[in-house]
Amino acid sequence: MEYFVYIIQSLVDNSYYKGFTQDPESRIAQHNSGLSSYTSNKMP
């Protein structure tokens, strides 16, 4: 199994969020569409 570690930065408050996933394209799509509970209020 392969995992990816990622860090994204909110343009709203410049905060950072880190995570890991096996499917980075799907995971970033979740963040960008507001489906991630922690980052949904910090979009984009």
Side-chain angles (χ1 to χ4, degrees):
M1 283 188 161
E2 188 174 52
Y3 285 90
F4 298 86
V5 175
Y6 62 90
I7 301 172
I8 55 177
Q9 182 179 17
S10 169
L11 296 177
V12 173
D13 64 1
N14 290 324
S15 63
Y16 291 95
Y17 177 83
K18 62 186 180 296
F20 65 96
T21 183
Q22 289 182 294
D23 186 356
E25 290 83 13
S26 175
R27 188 65 177 126
I28 197 70
Q30 288 176 339
H31 283 294
N32 289 339
S33 64
L35 297 175
S36 179
S37 61
Y38 180 76
T39 58
S40 64
N41 63 343
K42 297 176 182 242
M43 290 175 33

